[in-house]
Amino acid sequence: MHRLRTCAARLRPLTVSQTSQNFSQQRPASVPKTFHPVRCYTSPVAAEPFLNGTSSNYVEEMYYSWLEDPKSVHKSWDIFFRNANAGAPPGKAHQSPLSLAVLPQAQSLVGAQINVEKLVEDHLAVQSLIRAYQIRGHHVAQLDPLGIMDADLDCHIPNDIITSSDKLGFYGLDESDLDKVFRLPTTTFIGGTESDLPLREIIRRLEMAYCQHIGVEFMFINDLDQCQWIREKFEKPGVMQFTLEEKRTLLARMVRSTRFEEFLQRKWSSEKRFGLEGCESLIPALKTIIDKSSEKGVENIVMGMPHRGRLNVLANVIRKELEQIFCQFDSKLEAADEGSGDVKYHLGMYHRRINRVTDRNITLSLMANPSHLEAVDPVVQGKTKAEQFYCGDTEGHKVMSILMHGDAAFAGQGVVYETFHLSDLPSYSTHGTVHVVVNNQIGFTTDPRMARSSPYPTDVARVVNAPIFHVNADDPEAVVYVCNVAAEWRATFHKDVVVDLVCYRRLGHNEMDEPMFTQPLMYKQIKKQKGVMQKYGEKLIAEGAVSRQEYEEEIAKYDKICEEAHVRSKDEKILHIKHWLDSPWPGFFNLDGQPKSLTCPTTGLTEEELIHIGQVASSVPVEDFTIHGGLSRILKARGEMIKNRTVDWALGEYMAFGSLLKEGIHVRLSGQDVERGGKEPRSLSQMSPIYTSIVFLFPPISSNFAQSLKSGATFHRPQSTA
């Protein structure tokens, strides 16, 4: 035993097998806890095959247990300790147990081990399957209302999406596994209140969540909480349930959207209007976003959009008077009468009204937009930022923006990418924009396969981790659900989100265009396609949600509203300018709606005021502030100019800014150069003199500065500009 103790003390920590770890390692209370080995330098170390590493503590524990009760340790340890005590030489004390192959009990243990391993592998496979649907389910979603094109421009079905039982082999599963029950991971909500489901039901629920009329792209988002939020919204069983009242409201909105376009087509069939036919569900989509945002506390919404569907949005979302729209089709109307000389489908509108769903005030502003479709994007964001600033809305709870896009322009115009990259910058963020893409799967006459390299037109949004919800626009309930989620996302995370309405264009690029020349196969299918209002009306009639009489009465009711407005449009004096502005401009109009005669107020400053501003511009704001030596020379030179009544370009700009700040008018300087001037100056005392060290090539000359020249100051243009 002396040799056993000595060798045990000399060994390093033992890397034990799984078998030996399962046995008791408790030391008897009667055995002393301190082990005092006797050094031995001649005995072989680790001669036994299982003694490797630092195993002295483990051997000691086993030895003490054996001394207390030989039956408390495994038979192999009992034999080892007996042989060692009997004086067996190193390497001979250990005897390997009988081979497991000859023991029936061992064979059953091996079989059980294999079954456990298979069970673990199958559960891991199911987890991989669930993740595959979350990542790539949108590729097989039924998004195209026409059923002739894949929205992602790829007819290939991913191998890890189970479209038939033979694809189970990708995961090492087969048809016999379909009825096996598997525990669900925490990264899915398809179970609802259930923690495990049969594989067959797991696949069915994943298909319902990700492969029907909604395709969800979100697994590229870095934030786990945001991913979990989206999973819960789309995976929980029964999330897309609508009350009877909600279905009837949705049908009424579809009727208004559809019959408005049909009315215009009947009355002015030869006029360009860029109608919404083929994507009539845009109107309930926008109204849903507005309703949900109003519910979340938003009071002001700034909107921008291209010309397709603009008149419908003005009529049925902004609620512009129909007669004001209809009178724009008057053939005797001259361009000068429209105020800007622009066409009706480019103009904007401002309106404050009560939201009928939430019974709260909501202000809607639709910005005017030129033919360069996406040019309005940064303008909308700038107006939204200004509204947020002036109402003290620092987190975007009260003011938000909605941007609508066409699929070709969204993918093709660089201003979209630039605007996305402003979305999360501290001085530019509007705290989340809801983007709605009217994806009619064609750009004028260009097939999407020839228009972009990305699978979807919305892929540009991935750069800012914005979730993208693709939806079949011929399923109004799916559209409304997705828009509710989008509005909730914006209210919860204050980040951008994209709704991709996959639809079609029933007519040509405009009403005078013949699309059969360039897309004959697509338009052959479109001619067979039932309108979405008709399909949804028939669905609700079949469900018993409405009767056919109620459906027809709803149509007749809105047709009558349009006819009466058309009559009024012939008699009413047209007030174009006031009715087509996207801001209220209080005090700008007389009571009759015509603009007041404008006079230019006096904007000049006295020389004393200019000198005061100049002295501030040439001084350091804080007494103990140490500035760069180069800036000291600039300030000194500026002070000399003030004394000599001389003004250069930079000082002239400073005087213009300073005069505005003295009057309490906010000044915001934007651009890469202004970093040298600090942040936005809000008062003269906060304005850094470094601003005036920047000389602009073509700066604007304010009326204040122009008037300052008349007061006797000398203007000096610098020899060089930077």
Side-chain angles (χ1 to χ4, degrees):
M1 199 61 230
H2 169 78
R3 182 180 59 80
L4 174 64
R5 292 186 179 184
T6 303
C7 293
R10 294 280 308 278
L11 295 174
R12 295 180 180 178
L14 173 67
T15 303
V16 296
S17 66
Q18 292 181 344
T19 304
S20 62
Q21 285 182 349
N22 293 330
F23 299 112
S24 172
Q25 297 182 17
Q26 297 181 353
R27 171 183 297 166
S30 60
V31 180
K33 294 185 178 181
T34 305
F35 185 62
H36 299 286
V38 179
R39 293 183 181 273
C40 175
Y41 298 99
T42 58
S43 299
V45 178
E48 306 293 352
F50 57 90
L51 294 179
N52 55 76
T54 311
S55 60
S56 59
N57 290 336
Y58 181 72
V59 173
E60 180 183 358
E61 291 287 343
M62 297 301 292
Y63 179 61
Y64 283 133
S65 298
W66 179 76
L67 287 177
E68 183 73 16
D69 181 9
K71 294 182 180 180
S72 66
V73 299
H74 190 262
K75 185 67 176 177
S76 59
W77 279 111
D78 181 35
I79 295 172
F80 172 72
F81 291 136
R82 289 181 186 278
N83 290 339
N85 276 352
K92 301 296 184 181
H94 172 68
Q95 294 180 8
S96 298
L98 291 174
S99 172
L100 291 176
V102 301
L103 298 176
Q105 289 181 330
Q107 288 180 331
S108 63
L109 288 173
V110 171
Q113 180 67 21
I114 293 174
N115 289 337
V116 169
E117 290 178 0
K118 177 70 165 65
L119 186 63
V120 171
E121 288 174 1
D122 288 352
H123 272 80
L124 291 175
V126 170
Q127 291 187 23
S128 298
L129 183 150
I130 293 171
R131 183 172 176 82
Y133 273 86
Q134 293 169 342
I135 296 174
R136 282 178 287 280
H138 57 88
H139 287 297
V140 294
Q142 303 164 32
L143 300 177
D144 180 18
L146 302 176
I148 61 175
M149 188 180 296
D150 294 287
D152 62 351
L153 307 183
D154 187 358
C155 61
H156 173 71
I157 298 176
N159 290 329
D160 52 357
I161 300 298
I162 308 300
T163 54
S164 60
S165 58
D166 59 331
K167 281 204 167 189
L168 288 168
F170 180 86
Y171 295 100
L173 302 169
D174 55 41
E175 200 165 352
S176 64
D177 295 311
L178 287 173
D179 295 317
K180 290 182 181 177
V181 175
F182 293 91
R183 180 166 293 278
L184 298 171
T186 58
T187 53
T188 186
F189 294 86
I190 58 172
T193 58
E194 300 172 275
S195 59
D196 43 45
L197 289 171
L199 178 57
R200 190 188 307 275
E201 181 65 12
I202 290 173
I203 295 173
R204 189 192 71 82
R205 294 192 185 188
L206 288 171
E207 288 176 347
M208 293 299 296
Y210 292 111
C211 304
Q212 299 302 304
H213 288 163
I214 298 174
V216 190
E217 279 191 279
F218 70 101
M219 289 293 282
F220 53 82
I221 296 175
N222 301 327
D223 191 298
L224 178 60
D225 291 338
Q226 293 175 8
C227 288
Q228 287 288 80
W229 189 91
I230 294 173
R231 288 185 185 114
E232 186 172 6
K233 291 295 180 183
F234 289 97
E235 291 184 357
K236 260 192 171 180
V239 289
M240 271 188 56
Q241 298 294 327
F242 292 86
T243 65
L244 178 62
E245 186 60 33
E246 288 170 338
K247 290 181 178 182
R248 295 170 73 95
T249 299
L250 176 53
L251 178 62
R253 290 175 172 180
M254 288 302 309
V255 166
R256 288 174 173 258
S257 174
T258 303
R259 299 301 286 183
F260 176 82
E261 298 292 353
E262 292 178 358
F263 182 84
L264 295 183
Q265 183 66 16
R266 286 198 307 272
K267 296 293 184 182
W268 299 281
S269 59
S270 60
E271 284 274 347
K272 291 182 182 180
R273 55 184 171 82
F274 294 93
L276 197 56
E277 290 97 334
C279 193
E280 292 91 345
S281 55
L282 173 67
I283 300 306
L286 293 176
K287 292 176 78 71
T288 298
I289 295 169
I290 292 168
D291 293 344
K292 179 60 69 172
S293 299
S294 175
E295 178 188 309
K296 297 292 184 179
V298 172
E299 301 172 359
N300 192 330
I301 298 178
V302 183
M303 304 167 67
M305 69 177 298
H307 41 264
R308 184 167 308 285
R310 177 177 286 262
L311 297 181
N312 206 324
V313 170
L314 286 168
N316 291 310
V317 178
I318 310 292
R319 292 192 202 158
K320 184 176 182 64
E321 298 93 335
L322 292 178
E323 52 268 32
Q324 283 294 327
I325 296 174
F326 296 159
C327 70
Q328 293 293 305
F329 289 93
D330 188 347
S331 59
K332 295 177 292 201
L333 185 66
E334 296 182 6
D337 294 330
E338 295 186 64
S340 67
D342 208 343
V343 287
K344 49 192 163 289
Y345 43 78
H346 284 183
L347 299 176
M349 169 70 181
Y350 172 92
H351 186 45
R352 183 168 180 81
R353 63 174 175 81
I354 295 290
N355 183 283
R356 292 169 184 166
V357 174
T358 61
D359 200 31
R360 297 178 179 177
N361 280 323
I362 188 81
T363 299
L364 302 174
S365 176
L366 178 64
M367 305 290 288
N369 192 56
S371 292
H372 191 287
L373 301 180
E374 301 292 340
V376 77
D377 297 356
V379 179
V380 166
Q381 302 295 48
K383 181 177 174 66
T384 305
K385 185 70 174 177
E387 295 279 6
Q388 290 174 346
F389 173 82
Y390 283 112
C391 73
D393 183 16
T394 58
E395 296 182 358
H397 293 302
K398 296 181 180 179
V399 184
M400 68 171 285
S401 56
I402 299 175
L403 281 174
M404 285 155 277
H405 314 266
D407 54 320
F410 197 61
Q413 295 191 10
V415 68
V416 176
Y417 182 80
E418 295 169 15
T419 305
F420 267 115
H421 272 290
L422 295 174
S423 65
D424 210 22
L425 299 184
S427 296
Y428 296 87
S429 175
T430 56
H431 309 288
T433 297
V434 180
H435 300 264
V436 181
V437 180
V438 177
N439 181 1
N440 52 36
Q441 307 181 83
I442 191 170
F444 202 158
T445 61
T446 303
D447 187 280
R449 292 180 178 86
M450 306 300 167
R452 65 177 188 265
S453 298
S454 62
Y456 298 101
T458 53
D459 285 342
V460 63
R462 294 167 67 105
V463 300
V464 292
N465 278 336
I468 303 166
F469 306 139
H470 308 280
V471 58
N472 187 322
D474 264 18
D475 185 345
E477 291 184 3
V479 169
V480 166
Y481 182 76
V482 156
C483 289
N484 263 317
V485 174
E488 286 187 39
W489 166 275
R490 192 267 168 193
T492 304
F493 299 105
H494 294 283
K495 297 177 74 69
D496 283 26
V497 58
V498 177
V499 176
D500 179 22
L501 298 178
V502 184
C503 56
Y504 57 93
R505 191 187 66 194
R506 185 169 288 278
L507 303 177
H509 176 66
N510 61 61
E511 287 66 29
M512 311 305 295
D513 180 42
E514 177 49 72
M516 287 291 286
F517 293 155
T518 52
Q519 275 77 31
L521 297 179
M522 172 184 276
Y523 276 86
K524 190 178 291 184
Q525 177 62 35
I526 288 174
K527 284 183 178 180
K528 302 176 186 175
Q529 191 83 357
K530 276 187 181 180
V532 61
M533 179 196 75
Q534 182 184 351
K535 289 199 291 187
Y536 190 59
E538 291 173 355
K539 176 178 180 290
L540 294 191
I541 291 170
E543 291 177 0
V546 296
S547 66
R548 183 164 295 278
Q549 181 181 351
E550 289 173 321
Y551 171 60
E552 292 173 352
E553 285 175 354
E554 188 69 37
I555 293 174
K557 175 184 172 184
Y558 188 69
D559 286 350
K560 183 181 179 182
I561 291 172
C562 290
E563 289 290 352
E564 291 173 350
H566 181 237
V567 173
R568 290 195 301 272
S569 70
K570 297 177 180 178
D571 301 330
E572 185 174 329
K573 184 177 179 181
I574 300 171
L575 307 176
H576 300 290
I577 299 176
K578 181 178 180 180
H579 285 261
W580 294 90
L581 292 177
D582 48 35
S583 292
W585 290 76
F588 188 81
F589 298 98
N590 293 318
L591 294 177
D592 61 358
Q594 297 301 319
K596 295 179 180 178
S597 58
L598 301 178
T599 58
C600 183
T602 302
T603 58
L605 300 174
T606 65
E607 185 170 348
E608 287 75 17
E609 290 175 302
L610 292 174
I611 290 173
H612 169 68
I613 296 172
Q615 288 173 342
V616 173
S618 58
S619 60
V620 180
V622 184
E623 291 183 3
D624 58 349
F625 182 73
T626 303
I627 65 171
H628 191 279
L631 294 179
S632 297
R633 291 191 295 272
I634 292 174
L635 296 183
K636 184 177 180 181
R638 186 177 296 157
E640 292 296 322
M641 281 193 288
I642 299 298
K643 291 178 183 178
N644 298 329
R645 302 177 75 246
T646 303
V647 180
D648 68 1
W649 199 265
L651 182 55
E653 278 201 331
Y654 201 115
M655 289 179 170
F657 294 146
S659 66
L660 293 172
L661 291 170
K662 281 193 70 176
E663 296 174 10
I665 298 173
H666 175 67
V667 176
R668 174 184 169 95
L669 299 183
S670 176
Q672 292 178 333
D673 281 351
V674 301
E675 181 70 19
R676 284 180 280 178
K679 296 183 179 179
E680 305 167 16
R682 299 184 185 179
S683 68
L684 191 62
S685 62
Q686 293 175 344
M687 191 168 185
S688 168
I690 308 174
Y691 271 118
T692 56
S693 68
I694 307 167
V695 183
F696 297 89
L697 187 58
F698 297 111
I701 301 177
S702 70
S703 58
N704 288 345
F705 178 50
Q707 188 66 29
S708 72
L709 301 180
K710 298 178 183 178
S711 65
T714 302
F715 174 74
H716 169 67
R717 182 71 180 265
Q719 295 299 314
S720 62
T721 57

